[in-house]
Amino acid sequence: MMVVLAEVSPHLLKPLVDVHGANKLSKLLLDALMQEERFQVVVISSAEVQLDVAVDQGAGSTLFTTYAGLEDCLVEHKLTPSVGLSFGLNIHSLARFRSASTFFFPIVGFIHSLGFDTHVSDLLSTQPFLRSGDVFICPSKNTQTTVIQLGIPESFTVVMPYGVDVDVYKSSGDKQQLRKNNQLTADKQVILILSRISSSIKMDLTPIIRLLPKLVEKNPDVLLYIVGTVLDSVYVDQLKALARQLQVDDYILWNHSPDHDQIEQ
C-alpha cells in the first residue's frame, strides 16, 4: 500500500462555501486521495482542525497529525512514507522532516502560480532541500520554462496540464436558451474570457480592450463577454474607464459573480 504524506492547509480541511482555482484543485485531489483504498493517507496540518475532520465520514482510514507528532504516528501505525505531497510549491516542512527522520521519500509540489514575488522567493528557497526524485508539477510548458529560468533544474519539473471534465464541458443542446440565460442576444458574435480578473496573476485584458474598436469596426455584432471573480477592483475600474474612453463599453458584458458550481453554463 502506498503511504502518502499530505501537507494540507487548515482551510482545505474545513467546509468551503465558494472554492475555486488552486483551492478547488487541491480540495478535489485531497478528497480523491482520502477515498482511494490503495492509499494510506497521512494528513499533516494544524492541531485545531484535526478533530472536526477526523470524524468526517469522507475521511475513511486517513490519519491526521501535526509535524510534531508525525514520526510517532508513522511508528505507531508501522508506516513507511512512499511520497510526500504539498498542494503548493512550498515543500520546506516536508523536506525538513525528511532530513531529520530516518525516512527517505520523494516530495511532490504543485506550482499553481508564479504571479507574486513571494511565489518566486518560496520556489527559489526550496533549492537546498531538493533531492533525487523530488518534482514540481507545472500546469503548462510556459510555467516549466519560467521555473527552469529561475534556476530550478529541469529534472525537478514535470508538465501536467489541468484536465477538463468532458462530461461537464460539452456542447449545449439549446444554445439560444443558454444565450438568454447569460443575457446574450442571438445576433451577437461572442468572445468569451473566463478567468479571475487580475493583471498580476492572470491575463492582462488591456490589449484586447484596446483592440476592440478595430474588431467592432469589422464586425458590429461582436461582444466581449468577461466572466470571472474580481481580484483587483482598481484594475477593473481602469479597464472600464478605458472601454468608455474608446467608446466600446457597450460591446463588453461583465459577470463578476459567476456560479462556480455551474461555471460551464
PDB file of all heavy atoms in Angstrom, residues 170-207:
ATOM      1  N   LYS A 170     -19.418  20.197 -22.384  1.00  0.00           N
ATOM      2  CA  LYS A 170     -19.802  19.607 -23.652  1.00  0.00           C
ATOM      3  C   LYS A 170     -20.800  20.535 -24.336  1.00  0.00           C
ATOM      4  O   LYS A 170     -21.353  21.446 -23.714  1.00  0.00           O
ATOM      5  CB  LYS A 170     -20.413  18.224 -23.450  1.00  0.00           C
ATOM      6  CG  LYS A 170     -21.603  18.198 -22.511  1.00  0.00           C
ATOM      7  CD  LYS A 170     -22.058  16.771 -22.233  1.00  0.00           C
ATOM      8  CE  LYS A 170     -23.212  16.747 -21.238  1.00  0.00           C
ATOM      9  NZ  LYS A 170     -23.636  15.377 -20.923  1.00  0.00           N
ATOM     10  N   SER A 171     -21.025  20.288 -25.594  1.00  0.00           N
ATOM     11  CA  SER A 171     -21.897  21.146 -26.383  1.00  0.00           C
ATOM     12  C   SER A 171     -23.316  21.170 -25.810  1.00  0.00           C
ATOM     13  O   SER A 171     -23.878  20.126 -25.464  1.00  0.00           O
ATOM     14  CB  SER A 171     -21.927  20.661 -27.834  1.00  0.00           C
ATOM     15  OG  SER A 171     -22.777  21.460 -28.610  1.00  0.00           O
ATOM     16  N   SER A 172     -23.869  22.366 -25.693  1.00  0.00           N
ATOM     17  CA  SER A 172     -25.221  22.506 -25.159  1.00  0.00           C
ATOM     18  C   SER A 172     -26.255  22.195 -26.242  1.00  0.00           C
ATOM     19  O   SER A 172     -26.101  22.576 -27.400  1.00  0.00           O
ATOM     20  CB  SER A 172     -25.428  23.933 -24.649  1.00  0.00           C
ATOM     21  OG  SER A 172     -26.777  24.151 -24.314  1.00  0.00           O
ATOM     22  N   GLY A 173     -27.330  21.528 -25.846  1.00  0.00           N
ATOM     23  CA  GLY A 173     -28.374  21.189 -26.798  1.00  0.00           C
ATOM     24  C   GLY A 173     -29.217  22.382 -27.205  1.00  0.00           C
ATOM     25  O   GLY A 173     -29.794  22.410 -28.286  1.00  0.00           O
ATOM     26  N   ASP A 174     -29.311  23.391 -26.328  1.00  0.00           N
ATOM     27  CA  ASP A 174     -30.136  24.566 -26.600  1.00  0.00           C
ATOM     28  C   ASP A 174     -29.294  25.810 -26.386  1.00  0.00           C
ATOM     29  O   ASP A 174     -29.306  26.422 -25.326  1.00  0.00           O
ATOM     30  CB  ASP A 174     -31.356  24.567 -25.672  1.00  0.00           C
ATOM     31  CG  ASP A 174     -32.373  25.636 -26.062  1.00  0.00           C
ATOM     32  OD1 ASP A 174     -32.019  26.497 -26.898  1.00  0.00           O
ATOM     33  OD2 ASP A 174     -33.491  25.623 -25.522  1.00  0.00           O
ATOM     34  N   LYS A 175     -28.553  26.188 -27.422  1.00  0.00           N
ATOM     35  CA  LYS A 175     -27.643  27.325 -27.299  1.00  0.00           C
ATOM     36  C   LYS A 175     -28.382  28.648 -27.165  1.00  0.00           C
ATOM     37  O   LYS A 175     -27.899  29.577 -26.520  1.00  0.00           O
ATOM     38  CB  LYS A 175     -26.688  27.354 -28.496  1.00  0.00           C
ATOM     39  CG  LYS A 175     -25.731  26.174 -28.525  1.00  0.00           C
ATOM     40  CD  LYS A 175     -24.713  26.309 -29.642  1.00  0.00           C
ATOM     41  CE  LYS A 175     -23.731  25.139 -29.616  1.00  0.00           C
ATOM     42  NZ  LYS A 175     -22.690  25.241 -30.668  1.00  0.00           N
ATOM     43  N   GLN A 176     -29.555  28.754 -27.776  1.00  0.00           N
ATOM     44  CA  GLN A 176     -30.310  30.006 -27.666  1.00  0.00           C
ATOM     45  C   GLN A 176     -30.778  30.231 -26.234  1.00  0.00           C
ATOM     46  O   GLN A 176     -30.753  31.363 -25.732  1.00  0.00           O
ATOM     47  CB  GLN A 176     -31.499  29.991 -28.635  1.00  0.00           C
ATOM     48  CG  GLN A 176     -31.108  29.984 -30.100  1.00  0.00           C
ATOM     49  CD  GLN A 176     -30.134  31.106 -30.448  1.00  0.00           C
ATOM     50  OE1 GLN A 176     -30.296  32.241 -30.015  1.00  0.00           O
ATOM     51  NE2 GLN A 176     -29.114  30.778 -31.240  1.00  0.00           N
ATOM     52  N   GLN A 177     -31.186  29.162 -25.557  1.00  0.00           N
ATOM     53  CA  GLN A 177     -31.596  29.289 -24.160  1.00  0.00           C
ATOM     54  C   GLN A 177     -30.388  29.637 -23.295  1.00  0.00           C
ATOM     55  O   GLN A 177     -30.486  30.437 -22.354  1.00  0.00           O
ATOM     56  CB  GLN A 177     -32.232  27.982 -23.670  1.00  0.00           C
ATOM     57  CG  GLN A 177     -32.751  28.043 -22.237  1.00  0.00           C
ATOM     58  CD  GLN A 177     -33.828  29.102 -22.047  1.00  0.00           C
ATOM     59  OE1 GLN A 177     -34.750  29.220 -22.865  1.00  0.00           O
ATOM     60  NE2 GLN A 177     -33.716  29.886 -20.983  1.00  0.00           N
ATOM     61  N   LEU A 178     -29.256  29.059 -23.640  1.00  0.00           N
ATOM     62  CA  LEU A 178     -28.028  29.366 -22.905  1.00  0.00           C
ATOM     63  C   LEU A 178     -27.659  30.840 -23.078  1.00  0.00           C
ATOM     64  O   LEU A 178     -27.265  31.508 -22.118  1.00  0.00           O
ATOM     65  CB  LEU A 178     -26.893  28.475 -23.406  1.00  0.00           C
ATOM     66  CG  LEU A 178     -25.590  28.492 -22.611  1.00  0.00           C
ATOM     67  CD1 LEU A 178     -25.813  28.059 -21.177  1.00  0.00           C
ATOM     68  CD2 LEU A 178     -24.547  27.597 -23.276  1.00  0.00           C
ATOM     69  N   ARG A 179     -27.800  31.363 -24.291  1.00  0.00           N
ATOM     70  CA  ARG A 179     -27.547  32.787 -24.520  1.00  0.00           C
ATOM     71  C   ARG A 179     -28.525  33.648 -23.715  1.00  0.00           C
ATOM     72  O   ARG A 179     -28.132  34.662 -23.106  1.00  0.00           O
ATOM     73  CB  ARG A 179     -27.696  33.112 -26.014  1.00  0.00           C
ATOM     74  CG  ARG A 179     -26.487  32.740 -26.862  1.00  0.00           C
ATOM     75  CD  ARG A 179     -26.756  32.990 -28.334  1.00  0.00           C
ATOM     76  NE  ARG A 179     -25.539  32.809 -29.125  1.00  0.00           N
ATOM     77  CZ  ARG A 179     -24.752  33.813 -29.524  1.00  0.00           C
ATOM     78  NH1 ARG A 179     -25.072  35.058 -29.211  1.00  0.00           N
ATOM     79  NH2 ARG A 179     -23.670  33.579 -30.227  1.00  0.00           N
ATOM     80  N   LYS A 180     -29.782  33.245 -23.694  1.00  0.00           N
ATOM     81  CA  LYS A 180     -30.795  34.003 -22.953  1.00  0.00           C
ATOM     82  C   LYS A 180     -30.465  34.024 -21.464  1.00  0.00           C
ATOM     83  O   LYS A 180     -30.587  35.072 -20.805  1.00  0.00           O
ATOM     84  CB  LYS A 180     -32.175  33.388 -23.186  1.00  0.00           C
ATOM     85  CG  LYS A 180     -33.305  34.155 -22.522  1.00  0.00           C
ATOM     86  CD  LYS A 180     -34.656  33.515 -22.852  1.00  0.00           C
ATOM     87  CE  LYS A 180     -35.789  34.274 -22.169  1.00  0.00           C
ATOM     88  NZ  LYS A 180     -37.111  33.651 -22.472  1.00  0.00           N
ATOM     89  N   ASN A 181     -30.026  32.878 -20.935  1.00  0.00           N
ATOM     90  CA  ASN A 181     -29.690  32.797 -19.513  1.00  0.00           C
ATOM     91  C   ASN A 181     -28.538  33.733 -19.155  1.00  0.00           C
ATOM     92  O   ASN A 181     -28.437  34.199 -18.014  1.00  0.00           O
ATOM     93  CB  ASN A 181     -29.307  31.365 -19.142  1.00  0.00           C
ATOM     94  CG  ASN A 181     -30.474  30.405 -19.249  1.00  0.00           C
ATOM     95  OD1 ASN A 181     -31.635  30.820 -19.300  1.00  0.00           O
ATOM     96  ND2 ASN A 181     -30.184  29.117 -19.295  1.00  0.00           N
ATOM     97  N   ASN A 182     -27.661  33.986 -20.140  1.00  0.00           N
ATOM     98  CA  ASN A 182     -26.486  34.822 -19.894  1.00  0.00           C
ATOM     99  C   ASN A 182     -26.625  36.219 -20.492  1.00  0.00           C
ATOM    100  O   ASN A 182     -25.628  36.928 -20.657  1.00  0.00           O
ATOM    101  CB  ASN A 182     -25.236  34.141 -20.461  1.00  0.00           C
ATOM    102  CG  ASN A 182     -24.807  32.939 -19.648  1.00  0.00           C
ATOM    103  OD1 ASN A 182     -24.157  33.069 -18.622  1.00  0.00           O
ATOM    104  ND2 ASN A 182     -25.183  31.746 -20.098  1.00  0.00           N
ATOM    105  N   GLN A 183     -27.872  36.626 -20.796  1.00  0.00           N
ATOM    106  CA  GLN A 183     -28.172  37.973 -21.290  1.00  0.00           C
ATOM    107  C   GLN A 183     -27.459  38.269 -22.611  1.00  0.00           C
ATOM    108  O   GLN A 183     -26.992  39.390 -22.847  1.00  0.00           O
ATOM    109  CB  GLN A 183     -27.800  39.037 -20.246  1.00  0.00           C
ATOM    110  CG  GLN A 183     -28.433  38.815 -18.882  1.00  0.00           C
ATOM    111  CD  GLN A 183     -27.924  39.803 -17.856  1.00  0.00           C
ATOM    112  OE1 GLN A 183     -27.913  41.015 -18.092  1.00  0.00           O
ATOM    113  NE2 GLN A 183     -27.492  39.310 -16.713  1.00  0.00           N
ATOM    114  N   LEU A 184     -27.345  37.269 -23.460  1.00  0.00           N
ATOM    115  CA  LEU A 184     -26.681  37.413 -24.751  1.00  0.00           C
ATOM    116  C   LEU A 184     -27.714  37.261 -25.855  1.00  0.00           C
ATOM    117  O   LEU A 184     -28.395  36.236 -25.944  1.00  0.00           O
ATOM    118  CB  LEU A 184     -25.589  36.351 -24.914  1.00  0.00           C
ATOM    119  CG  LEU A 184     -24.502  36.316 -23.833  1.00  0.00           C
ATOM    120  CD1 LEU A 184     -23.626  35.085 -24.008  1.00  0.00           C
ATOM    121  CD2 LEU A 184     -23.662  37.583 -23.891  1.00  0.00           C
ATOM    122  N   THR A 185     -27.840  38.268 -26.701  1.00  0.00           N
ATOM    123  CA  THR A 185     -28.811  38.195 -27.798  1.00  0.00           C
ATOM    124  C   THR A 185     -28.304  37.270 -28.897  1.00  0.00           C
ATOM    125  O   THR A 185     -27.094  37.040 -29.027  1.00  0.00           O
ATOM    126  CB  THR A 185     -29.079  39.593 -28.366  1.00  0.00           C
ATOM    127  OG1 THR A 185     -27.845  40.157 -28.820  1.00  0.00           O
ATOM    128  CG2 THR A 185     -29.693  40.507 -27.309  1.00  0.00           C
ATOM    129  N   ALA A 186     -29.239  36.780 -29.691  1.00  0.00           N
ATOM    130  CA  ALA A 186     -28.926  35.751 -30.681  1.00  0.00           C
ATOM    131  C   ALA A 186     -27.991  36.250 -31.777  1.00  0.00           C
ATOM    132  O   ALA A 186     -27.265  35.467 -32.392  1.00  0.00           O
ATOM    133  CB  ALA A 186     -30.220  35.221 -31.302  1.00  0.00           C
ATOM    134  N   ASP A 187     -27.988  37.564 -32.044  1.00  0.00           N
ATOM    135  CA  ASP A 187     -27.208  38.082 -33.157  1.00  0.00           C
ATOM    136  C   ASP A 187     -25.747  38.364 -32.801  1.00  0.00           C
ATOM    137  O   ASP A 187     -24.941  38.657 -33.685  1.00  0.00           O
ATOM    138  CB  ASP A 187     -27.840  39.377 -33.684  1.00  0.00           C
ATOM    139  CG  ASP A 187     -27.910  40.451 -32.606  1.00  0.00           C
ATOM    140  OD1 ASP A 187     -28.168  40.087 -31.442  1.00  0.00           O
ATOM    141  OD2 ASP A 187     -27.718  41.632 -32.922  1.00  0.00           O
ATOM    142  N   LYS A 188     -25.379  38.279 -31.538  1.00  0.00           N
ATOM    143  CA  LYS A 188     -24.039  38.655 -31.114  1.00  0.00           C
ATOM    144  C   LYS A 188     -23.010  37.564 -31.408  1.00  0.00           C
ATOM    145  O   LYS A 188     -23.274  36.372 -31.246  1.00  0.00           O
ATOM    146  CB  LYS A 188     -24.017  38.966 -29.618  1.00  0.00           C
ATOM    147  CG  LYS A 188     -24.785  40.233 -29.235  1.00  0.00           C
ATOM    148  CD  LYS A 188     -24.193  41.460 -29.902  1.00  0.00           C
ATOM    149  CE  LYS A 188     -24.915  42.726 -29.479  1.00  0.00           C
ATOM    150  NZ  LYS A 188     -24.378  43.917 -30.177  1.00  0.00           N
ATOM    151  N   GLN A 189     -21.831  38.001 -31.869  1.00  0.00           N
ATOM    152  CA  GLN A 189     -20.677  37.124 -32.028  1.00  0.00           C
ATOM    153  C   GLN A 189     -19.842  37.270 -30.754  1.00  0.00           C
ATOM    154  O   GLN A 189     -19.197  38.298 -30.542  1.00  0.00           O
ATOM    155  CB  GLN A 189     -19.863  37.512 -33.261  1.00  0.00           C
ATOM    156  CG  GLN A 189     -20.638  37.422 -34.558  1.00  0.00           C
ATOM    157  CD  GLN A 189     -20.981  35.991 -34.906  1.00  0.00           C
ATOM    158  OE1 GLN A 189     -20.131  35.104 -34.862  1.00  0.00           O
ATOM    159  NE2 GLN A 189     -22.234  35.755 -35.261  1.00  0.00           N
ATOM    160  N   VAL A 190     -19.869  36.269 -29.899  1.00  0.00           N
ATOM    161  CA  VAL A 190     -19.347  36.402 -28.535  1.00  0.00           C
ATOM    162  C   VAL A 190     -17.895  35.942 -28.447  1.00  0.00           C
ATOM    163  O   VAL A 190     -17.552  34.833 -28.892  1.00  0.00           O
ATOM    164  CB  VAL A 190     -20.204  35.596 -27.537  1.00  0.00           C
ATOM    165  CG1 VAL A 190     -19.647  35.731 -26.121  1.00  0.00           C
ATOM    166  CG2 VAL A 190     -21.654  36.084 -27.586  1.00  0.00           C
ATOM    167  N   ILE A 191     -17.077  36.787 -27.856  1.00  0.00           N
ATOM    168  CA  ILE A 191     -15.713  36.410 -27.464  1.00  0.00           C
ATOM    169  C   ILE A 191     -15.735  36.241 -25.952  1.00  0.00           C
ATOM    170  O   ILE A 191     -15.940  37.215 -25.212  1.00  0.00           O
ATOM    171  CB  ILE A 191     -14.685  37.482 -27.864  1.00  0.00           C
ATOM    172  CG1 ILE A 191     -14.694  37.709 -29.372  1.00  0.00           C
ATOM    173  CG2 ILE A 191     -13.293  37.084 -27.395  1.00  0.00           C
ATOM    174  CD1 ILE A 191     -13.828  38.872 -29.821  1.00  0.00           C
ATOM    175  N   LEU A 192     -15.549  35.025 -25.485  1.00  0.00           N
ATOM    176  CA  LEU A 192     -15.635  34.725 -24.053  1.00  0.00           C
ATOM    177  C   LEU A 192     -14.250  34.727 -23.421  1.00  0.00           C
ATOM    178  O   LEU A 192     -13.321  34.076 -23.919  1.00  0.00           O
ATOM    179  CB  LEU A 192     -16.299  33.367 -23.835  1.00  0.00           C
ATOM    180  CG  LEU A 192     -16.287  32.830 -22.393  1.00  0.00           C
ATOM    181  CD1 LEU A 192     -17.132  33.717 -21.478  1.00  0.00           C
ATOM    182  CD2 LEU A 192     -16.773  31.380 -22.351  1.00  0.00           C
ATOM    183  N   ILE A 193     -14.130  35.439 -22.309  1.00  0.00           N
ATOM    184  CA  ILE A 193     -12.937  35.363 -21.469  1.00  0.00           C
ATOM    185  C   ILE A 193     -13.384  34.868 -20.096  1.00  0.00           C
ATOM    186  O   ILE A 193     -14.183  35.527 -19.424  1.00  0.00           O
ATOM    187  CB  ILE A 193     -12.232  36.723 -21.345  1.00  0.00           C
ATOM    188  CG1 ILE A 193     -11.698  37.160 -22.708  1.00  0.00           C
ATOM    189  CG2 ILE A 193     -11.103  36.667 -20.322  1.00  0.00           C
ATOM    190  CD1 ILE A 193     -11.043  38.526 -22.705  1.00  0.00           C
ATOM    191  N   LEU A 194     -12.915  33.703 -19.711  1.00  0.00           N
ATOM    192  CA  LEU A 194     -13.312  33.096 -18.444  1.00  0.00           C
ATOM    193  C   LEU A 194     -12.078  32.970 -17.562  1.00  0.00           C
ATOM    194  O   LEU A 194     -11.215  32.124 -17.792  1.00  0.00           O
ATOM    195  CB  LEU A 194     -13.939  31.715 -18.691  1.00  0.00           C
ATOM    196  CG  LEU A 194     -14.347  30.903 -17.460  1.00  0.00           C
ATOM    197  CD1 LEU A 194     -15.376  31.655 -16.627  1.00  0.00           C
ATOM    198  CD2 LEU A 194     -14.880  29.536 -17.876  1.00  0.00           C
ATOM    199  N   SER A 195     -11.983  33.822 -16.559  1.00  0.00           N
ATOM    200  CA  SER A 195     -10.798  33.833 -15.708  1.00  0.00           C
ATOM    201  C   SER A 195     -11.031  34.779 -14.542  1.00  0.00           C
ATOM    202  O   SER A 195     -11.804  35.746 -14.664  1.00  0.00           O
ATOM    203  CB  SER A 195      -9.573  34.308 -16.504  1.00  0.00           C
ATOM    204  OG  SER A 195      -8.463  34.536 -15.656  1.00  0.00           O
ATOM    205  N   ARG A 196     -10.401  34.510 -13.418  1.00  0.00           N
ATOM    206  CA  ARG A 196     -10.354  35.532 -12.384  1.00  0.00           C
ATOM    207  C   ARG A 196      -9.632  36.755 -12.944  1.00  0.00           C
ATOM    208  O   ARG A 196      -8.733  36.621 -13.770  1.00  0.00           O
ATOM    209  CB  ARG A 196      -9.648  35.007 -11.139  1.00  0.00           C
ATOM    210  CG  ARG A 196     -10.511  34.041 -10.321  1.00  0.00           C
ATOM    211  CD  ARG A 196      -9.735  33.403  -9.197  1.00  0.00           C
ATOM    212  NE  ARG A 196      -8.750  32.460  -9.716  1.00  0.00           N
ATOM    213  CZ  ARG A 196      -7.772  31.937  -8.975  1.00  0.00           C
ATOM    214  NH1 ARG A 196      -7.635  32.295  -7.717  1.00  0.00           N
ATOM    215  NH2 ARG A 196      -6.933  31.070  -9.505  1.00  0.00           N
ATOM    216  N   ILE A 197     -10.040  37.932 -12.510  1.00  0.00           N
ATOM    217  CA  ILE A 197      -9.593  39.160 -13.162  1.00  0.00           C
ATOM    218  C   ILE A 197      -8.516  39.852 -12.327  1.00  0.00           C
ATOM    219  O   ILE A 197      -8.791  40.426 -11.268  1.00  0.00           O
ATOM    220  CB  ILE A 197     -10.781  40.099 -13.420  1.00  0.00           C
ATOM    221  CG1 ILE A 197     -11.866  39.351 -14.210  1.00  0.00           C
ATOM    222  CG2 ILE A 197     -10.326  41.326 -14.191  1.00  0.00           C
ATOM    223  CD1 ILE A 197     -13.127  40.147 -14.414  1.00  0.00           C
ATOM    224  N   SER A 198      -7.295  39.762 -12.823  1.00  0.00           N
ATOM    225  CA  SER A 198      -6.139  40.392 -12.177  1.00  0.00           C
ATOM    226  C   SER A 198      -5.019  40.455 -13.202  1.00  0.00           C
ATOM    227  O   SER A 198      -4.732  39.456 -13.864  1.00  0.00           O
ATOM    228  CB  SER A 198      -5.689  39.593 -10.952  1.00  0.00           C
ATOM    229  OG  SER A 198      -4.403  40.000 -10.517  1.00  0.00           O
ATOM    230  N   SER A 199      -4.394  41.612 -13.325  1.00  0.00           N
ATOM    231  CA  SER A 199      -3.311  41.744 -14.299  1.00  0.00           C
ATOM    232  C   SER A 199      -2.011  41.127 -13.809  1.00  0.00           C
ATOM    233  O   SER A 199      -1.118  40.836 -14.603  1.00  0.00           O
ATOM    234  CB  SER A 199      -3.068  43.224 -14.619  1.00  0.00           C
ATOM    235  OG  SER A 199      -2.691  43.934 -13.455  1.00  0.00           O
ATOM    236  N   SER A 200      -1.893  40.890 -12.490  1.00  0.00           N
ATOM    237  CA  SER A 200      -0.635  40.382 -11.937  1.00  0.00           C
ATOM    238  C   SER A 200      -0.545  38.868 -11.971  1.00  0.00           C
ATOM    239  O   SER A 200       0.508  38.314 -12.282  1.00  0.00           O
ATOM    240  CB  SER A 200      -0.438  40.879 -10.495  1.00  0.00           C
ATOM    241  OG  SER A 200      -1.511  40.460  -9.668  1.00  0.00           O
ATOM    242  N   ILE A 201      -1.639  38.180 -11.664  1.00  0.00           N
ATOM    243  CA  ILE A 201      -1.568  36.720 -11.618  1.00  0.00           C
ATOM    244  C   ILE A 201      -2.373  36.046 -12.725  1.00  0.00           C
ATOM    245  O   ILE A 201      -2.324  34.832 -12.865  1.00  0.00           O
ATOM    246  CB  ILE A 201      -2.020  36.168 -10.244  1.00  0.00           C
ATOM    247  CG1 ILE A 201      -3.504  36.444 -10.001  1.00  0.00           C
ATOM    248  CG2 ILE A 201      -1.174  36.742  -9.139  1.00  0.00           C
ATOM    249  CD1 ILE A 201      -4.046  35.762  -8.766  1.00  0.00           C
ATOM    250  N   LYS A 202      -3.113  36.842 -13.494  1.00  0.00           N
ATOM    251  CA  LYS A 202      -3.861  36.306 -14.632  1.00  0.00           C
ATOM    252  C   LYS A 202      -3.562  37.152 -15.868  1.00  0.00           C
ATOM    253  O   LYS A 202      -2.690  38.007 -15.849  1.00  0.00           O
ATOM    254  CB  LYS A 202      -5.376  36.286 -14.335  1.00  0.00           C
ATOM    255  CG  LYS A 202      -5.762  35.367 -13.181  1.00  0.00           C
ATOM    256  CD  LYS A 202      -5.460  33.906 -13.476  1.00  0.00           C
ATOM    257  CE  LYS A 202      -5.800  32.994 -12.325  1.00  0.00           C
ATOM    258  NZ  LYS A 202      -5.479  31.581 -12.600  1.00  0.00           N
ATOM    259  N   MET A 203      -4.289  36.917 -16.933  1.00  0.00           N
ATOM    260  CA  MET A 203      -4.045  37.631 -18.184  1.00  0.00           C
ATOM    261  C   MET A 203      -4.435  39.100 -18.059  1.00  0.00           C
ATOM    262  O   MET A 203      -5.486  39.430 -17.496  1.00  0.00           O
ATOM    263  CB  MET A 203      -4.845  36.977 -19.310  1.00  0.00           C
ATOM    264  CG  MET A 203      -4.686  37.635 -20.662  1.00  0.00           C
ATOM    265  SD  MET A 203      -5.596  36.770 -21.959  1.00  0.00           S
ATOM    266  CE  MET A 203      -7.285  37.116 -21.472  1.00  0.00           C
ATOM    267  N   ASP A 204      -3.597  39.979 -18.599  1.00  0.00           N
ATOM    268  CA  ASP A 204      -3.916  41.399 -18.667  1.00  0.00           C
ATOM    269  C   ASP A 204      -4.894  41.613 -19.817  1.00  0.00           C
ATOM    270  O   ASP A 204      -4.602  41.301 -20.973  1.00  0.00           O
ATOM    271  CB  ASP A 204      -2.634  42.210 -18.874  1.00  0.00           C
ATOM    272  CG  ASP A 204      -2.893  43.707 -18.831  1.00  0.00           C
ATOM    273  OD1 ASP A 204      -4.037  44.116 -18.556  1.00  0.00           O
ATOM    274  OD2 ASP A 204      -1.929  44.473 -19.066  1.00  0.00           O
ATOM    275  N   LEU A 205      -6.063  42.167 -19.506  1.00  0.00           N
ATOM    276  CA  LEU A 205      -7.107  42.339 -20.508  1.00  0.00           C
ATOM    277  C   LEU A 205      -6.981  43.661 -21.271  1.00  0.00           C
ATOM    278  O   LEU A 205      -7.762  43.906 -22.201  1.00  0.00           O
ATOM    279  CB  LEU A 205      -8.488  42.271 -19.841  1.00  0.00           C
ATOM    280  CG  LEU A 205      -8.800  40.982 -19.071  1.00  0.00           C
ATOM    281  CD1 LEU A 205     -10.206  41.044 -18.499  1.00  0.00           C
ATOM    282  CD2 LEU A 205      -8.637  39.762 -19.961  1.00  0.00           C
ATOM    283  N   THR A 206      -6.026  44.491 -20.903  1.00  0.00           N
ATOM    284  CA  THR A 206      -5.882  45.795 -21.559  1.00  0.00           C
ATOM    285  C   THR A 206      -5.697  45.682 -23.070  1.00  0.00           C
ATOM    286  O   THR A 206      -6.371  46.400 -23.833  1.00  0.00           O
ATOM    287  CB  THR A 206      -4.710  46.574 -20.941  1.00  0.00           C
ATOM    288  OG1 THR A 206      -4.909  46.695 -19.530  1.00  0.00           O
ATOM    289  CG2 THR A 206      -4.607  47.964 -21.550  1.00  0.00           C
ATOM    290  N   PRO A 207      -4.826  44.788 -23.560  1.00  0.00           N
ATOM    291  CA  PRO A 207      -4.618  44.727 -25.017  1.00  0.00           C
ATOM    292  C   PRO A 207      -5.881  44.405 -25.806  1.00  0.00           C
ATOM    293  O   PRO A 207      -6.121  44.997 -26.869  1.00  0.00           O
ATOM    294  CB  PRO A 207      -3.559  43.624 -25.172  1.00  0.00           C
ATOM    295  CG  PRO A 207      -2.811  43.636 -23.874  1.00  0.00           C
ATOM    296  CD  PRO A 207      -3.854  43.935 -22.846  1.00  0.00           C
TER     297      PRO A 207
END
